[in-house]
Amino acid sequence: MKVPDAASPPLALLPAIAVPDAASESPNGQLSQRTYSEAAHPYRSPFVRDIGRILHAKAFRRLAGKTQVFTRRGAESDHSRSRLTHTLEVAQIARIAAATLGLNAPLAEALALVHDIGHPPFGHAGEKALDEALQAHGLGFDHNLHALRIVTSFEERYAVFRGLNLTLAVREGIVKHSRDYASEQHPELSEYFLDQLPPLEAQLIDLADEIAYLTADIEDGLGASILTLADLRDHVPLFAGFYAEAQRAYPAAEPNLLSNEALKQMLNTLATDLMQQIAEEVQTLGIQTLQEIRSAPRRIAHLSPSMEEKRSQAKSYLYANLYLSPALDAEHDHAEEVVKSLFAAWTADPELLPPDHQARVLKEGAPRAVADYIAGMTDAYIEQAWLRHKESL
Ligand code: MG
């Protein structure tokens, strides 16, 4: 009956460091507990259920309309990534890495699927504008904390509670996958073990994210003609090395195909290096349990020093030549103008907000309620709101 599926054997890791997948009485069983207790599902484990809850969330669907790197320029190409397709690429890397290492693959997949759910429209430019607007009110915008608010409060899919009632492990990972939060400054996050490192399933999301967007943004940057193959080969050794290998293997191939071959090898090599480093680090530190991951002297998930140096160099190149390229200045300026103008207008007159958001002004204050409204929008939705706002002036 069963179709054989030959695959490389898992790297030798002790299964005890994986987050357990079923609620149990063990000290780690609490990670699959939910805020509101629910009966176990007959065949879906807690983290598999969380994957379903995230996939069916409105905020997840809105990722399709949110900028990853390209905003209006992106509309001119059918191929540049949205936050949704970026998210799916991160999920692929994270799921495979977790399964290969003997970690909890459904937990890693759930965390990857939810990792960008808190991002505002217009990519980094939109986030920066929203953060600056809030800072004028003594507040700030943090996409991880916003993601937590989405899954614990803003999503409405259940009759008896607000939010998605995700497991503790997924909520902890949403908060801590990419950075640490000091417990003194964030008493509201006290249930997320702020004085401990997150499980490996969460730690590897940050690297899966880096690997996914490094390779994808080179491809999309070439597609948008902001990056050039010649300049990449001159200034990004990580890419140039794989490109040269592809040239040797396929001397007659067109440059765009060689570039694709190079990017595939780059992604594969970075992901393999990440898995090997995690396995090695676990061995070096003698880690045998999840608790030892949590109390380790440093995060376990990282690339090898030489690969990290190449990754960091490639990322610096992308900052200088793509993310902060003058070619994108106009759309970044537009993003800032739209976000800041709407924020100012709605904060000054919250009655312009839809009724459910007006109700939140009373609870949270206008700046936060307006920021939450803006952060949820897709690029197209905020553009429409901006046009209506300008017509009303
Ligand atoms: Mg991401």
Side-chain angles (χ1 to χ4, degrees), residues 68 83 86-87 90 112 115-116 119 177 205 209-210 212-213:
Q68 178 67 16
R83 283 222 180 264
H86 158 73
T87 291
V90 176
H115 89 280
D116 267 357
H119 277 277
H177 70 274
I205 299 302
D209 188 22
E210 293 272 350
Y213 74 66

Side-chain angles (χ1 to χ4, degrees), residues 22-159:
S24 73
E25 295 307 307
S26 74
N28 296 321
Q30 69 182 128
L31 288 175
S32 49
Q33 300 287 348
R34 305 180 187 280
T35 307
Y36 307 95
S37 68
E38 295 180 41
H41 191 275
Y43 54 86
R44 292 156 69 213
S45 71
F47 302 136
V48 169
R49 291 177 89 179
D50 281 358
I51 290 173
R53 290 173 192 214
I54 293 160
L55 285 174
H56 287 86
K58 281 183 176 172
F60 185 79
R61 295 200 292 283
R62 292 198 302 266
L63 292 172
K66 295 203 184 207
T67 291
Q68 178 67 16
V69 175
F70 300 97
T71 53
R72 284 180 293 175
R73 178 177 288 271
E76 293 162 21
S77 163
D78 280 349
H79 304 129
S80 58
R81 270 88 174 163
S82 66
R83 283 222 180 264
L84 179 62
T85 55
H86 158 73
T87 291
L88 297 176
E89 291 177 3
V90 176
Q92 189 233 10
I93 297 168
R95 181 178 59 232
I96 292 171
T100 306
L101 289 164
L103 297 170
N104 192 313
L107 172 59
E109 182 172 353
L111 288 174
L113 291 173
V114 81
H115 89 280
D116 267 357
I117 212 166
H119 277 277
F122 297 143
H124 182 70
E127 180 169 17
K128 184 164 168 275
L130 198 53
D131 186 47
E132 287 170 1
L134 280 168
Q135 279 181 21
H137 296 271
L139 301 166
F141 186 82
D142 177 310
H143 63 255
N144 292 339
L145 300 184
H146 187 71
L148 185 67
R149 287 147 64 76
I150 289 172
V151 303
T152 56
S153 173
F154 300 161
E155 287 288 326
E156 293 177 307
R157 293 186 59 82
Y158 294 86

Side-chain angles (χ1 to χ4, degrees), residues 269-329:
T269 303
L270 287 163
T272 305
D273 184 83
L274 171 63
M275 289 181 247
Q276 284 170 341
Q277 286 304 303
I278 291 174
E280 267 182 49
E281 186 81 327
V282 164
Q283 275 206 325
T284 306
L285 295 174
I287 285 170
Q288 300 196 4
T289 66
L290 175 57
Q291 196 49 49
E292 287 168 1
I293 296 280
R294 287 191 170 287
S295 54
R298 54 185 179 266
R299 286 193 178 225
I300 310 292
H302 53 74
L303 298 170
S304 63
S306 69
M307 199 56 78
E308 174 55 27
E309 195 186 324
K310 287 184 190 159
R311 182 204 65 81
S312 154
Q313 191 274 338
K315 188 173 175 177
S316 300
Y317 175 88
L318 287 184
Y319 263 95
N321 296 279
L322 180 63
Y323 307 139
L324 303 177
S325 157
L328 297 179
D329 279 352

